Amino acid sequence: MAGKKIIYHCYGGAHSSVTAAAIHLGKLPAEKTPSDEELMSLNLFDRLTKDGHGQLHFAGVDEWQNQIYSVGCRNVGKAMERLLSGVAEMFAQKDQLIFVDTLHCVTMKMRIGGYISRQLGLIKIGRPIVLQGTQEAYPQLVALVTRIRNEVLR
Amino acid sequence: MIYLYLGQNDLCLPATAASVQLGLLMSTSLPAYEDLARLPHFRFVEKEDEGVLCFMGEDRQGNKIYVTSVKGHPDLFIRGVGSLLSACQIPLQEMMVIPCIAENPQVSRLCRIITLLGLKESATKLGSRVARNRFSELAATHCTK
C-alpha cells in the first residue's frame, strides 16, 4: 500500500492537521508532548490564513513513501472529501487518497485560541491559548496518527 | 478535458450551464420553465449530496461534463481541486472548474428549506426562475470558455 497520499484535514489547516502531519512524519515525538518551540518550528503551525484554505500543503514523505498533506476545509470537510475523491476517481487515482479528519481531536482551547489568532488576527493573545490546547489534544492526535499509520502499513 | 460546473446549495445553475455546453439548451433562446425542470440533475442538493460529482454527458468534442454543488466556500473547493491535480501530477488543463453561483445565495438556502419541507416542485419552480434570470450569463460562461 505504499505511495499513497494521506491528507490530514481540519477547519483552518493551521493547528490539528499540521500537528498530525508532523507526528506522522516523525517531526514531532509520539512519546512526549512537544514544547511551544517544537510546535512553532512547524512551518504552518498557527500561520495559515483563510486564503490558504482548500490548498493541499505538502508536509513530507513518510518511510513507506506515502506523501503527507495537511489542508484546512472549514466546516465542509466531508464535502471536500467527496469532491476530491470524485476527481481522483476520474483520473483512476481514488485508491491513492486517504483522508483523515482531525477535527474530533480539537479541544475548546484550540478552537478559541485558533479563532483569536487566525480569524481576529490577535496572535499575541490567541497563540498561547492554541499552543496549550494543542498540547492538551496531543495524546488524541498521536492515537489517531498511530491508527492511520497502522492501517496504511497493513 | 473535463468540465466541472460548481454550484452552491443547488444543481440548478450548474445543470443549466452544463446543458448549454452539451447542446441540450440553445444559448440563444431563453428556455421554458418545463425545459429547465426536465434537465438531468436539475435540483437542490441535500447534505449527503454535497461534493458528489454528477455526470451530465459528453459534448461534441468529447469533453466530459460534470456538475456538483457545495454548501458554501466554493473558492475553497476550486483551490482543493487545483492542488489535488498538482499533487497527482495531472496537468491543470485537464480539468476546468466553473463556478455557477447564484447572486444571492439566500435564494438557494430558501429553496433548500422548501425542499426539506417536502415541497420539491415549488423548489424546482423557484430554481427554474433563478436559472432563467441568470441564463444569459450562464450561456456566456460556456461561450467564452
Side-chain angles (χ1 to χ4, degrees):
Chain A
M1 282 187 57
K4 293 189 179 297
K5 291 173 178 58
I6 301 173
I7 302 166
Y8 289 98
H9 66 90
C10 62
Y11 185 90
H15 305 111
S16 63
S17 59
V18 173
T19 307
I23 296 168
H24 189 117
L25 292 166
K27 290 179 183 174
L28 289 176
E31 57 287 342
K32 74 170 183 76
T33 304
S35 63
D36 292 358
E37 291 72 31
E38 283 176 299
L39 286 171
M40 287 312 299
S41 71
L42 304 174
N43 283 342
L44 288 173
F45 190 87
D46 201 41
R47 290 185 179 94
L48 196 70
T49 62
K50 64 178 180 181
D51 294 337
H53 290 176
Q55 183 88 36
L56 303 183
H57 293 277
F58 180 65
V61 178
D62 71 7
E63 57 267 53
W64 304 294
Q65 300 307 308
N66 300 304
Q67 295 168 29
I68 312 300
Y69 294 85
S70 66
V71 60
C73 296
R74 296 191 206 168
N75 56 348
V76 288
K78 273 281 159 229
M80 183 68 115
E81 278 187 26
R82 283 193 284 261
L83 180 61
L84 296 188
S85 296
V87 171
E89 195 172 10
M90 286 178 197
F91 297 99
Q93 301 215 16
K94 191 186 175 187
D95 293 343
Q96 298 221 341
L97 297 187
I98 297 173
F99 291 95
V100 185
D101 189 352
T102 59
L103 255 184
H104 63 274
C105 299
V106 171
T107 60
M108 190 54 75
K109 278 185 190 169
M110 287 178 83
R111 285 176 203 270
I112 294 168
Y115 178 80
I116 295 171
S117 173
R118 297 296 86 211
Q119 284 292 113
L120 302 181
L122 302 170
I123 296 167
K124 278 190 179 173
I125 301 169
R127 188 164 285 175
I129 302 171
V130 82
L131 278 167
Q132 201 180 350
T134 307
Q135 286 158 345
E136 285 174 10
Y138 200 73
Q140 286 92 315
L141 287 167
V142 170
L144 174 68
V145 172
T146 306
R147 183 171 61 78
I148 297 301
R149 281 170 62 91
N150 288 338
E151 277 176 22
V152 171
L153 189 60
R154 219 179 288 143
Chain B
M1 183 161 177
I2 294 166
Y3 289 94
L4 173 60
Y5 289 91
L6 174 68
Q8 186 172 340
N9 286 320
D10 71 273
L11 283 170
C12 300
L13 298 183
T16 304
S19 298
V20 174
Q21 181 168 356
L22 288 166
L24 300 175
L25 293 174
M26 297 286 288
S27 61
T28 47
S29 60
L30 193 63
Y33 290 108
E34 302 75 38
D35 294 338
L36 288 168
R38 274 198 295 267
L39 293 176
H41 306 298
F42 190 91
R43 60 187 163 85
F44 290 86
V45 294
E46 287 168 30
K47 199 168 172 57
E48 47 289 352
D49 276 343
E50 287 168 11
V52 174
L53 302 180
C54 305
F55 184 61
M56 287 287 291
E58 277 188 32
D59 69 6
R60 283 177 191 168
Q61 287 78 38
N63 300 309
K64 288 182 174 158
I65 318 291
Y66 290 83
V67 292
T68 190
S69 182
V70 294
K71 186 173 76 177
H73 318 299
D75 53 323
L76 189 141
F77 290 90
I78 295 168
R79 276 198 291 271
V81 171
S83 59
L84 179 72
L85 294 179
S86 299
C88 294
Q89 296 179 327
I90 297 163
L92 294 177
Q93 299 89 320
E94 289 287 315
M95 186 167 192
M96 185 184 273
V97 183
I98 304 155
C100 302
I101 313 294
E103 279 174 16
N104 183 359
Q106 284 182 343
V107 176
S108 298
R109 268 182 231 131
L110 176 67
C111 289
R112 201 169 166 157
I113 293 166
I114 295 172
T115 309
L116 287 173
L117 291 171
L119 304 166
K120 278 190 179 169
E121 211 168 299
S122 305
T124 307
K125 270 185 193 167
L126 192 52
S128 306
R129 265 186 112 96
V130 175
R132 272 171 61 96
N133 287 344
R134 290 284 307 279
F135 187 74
S136 57
E137 209 178 310
L138 292 170
T141 307
H142 157 63
C143 294
T144 53
K145 274 198 318 284

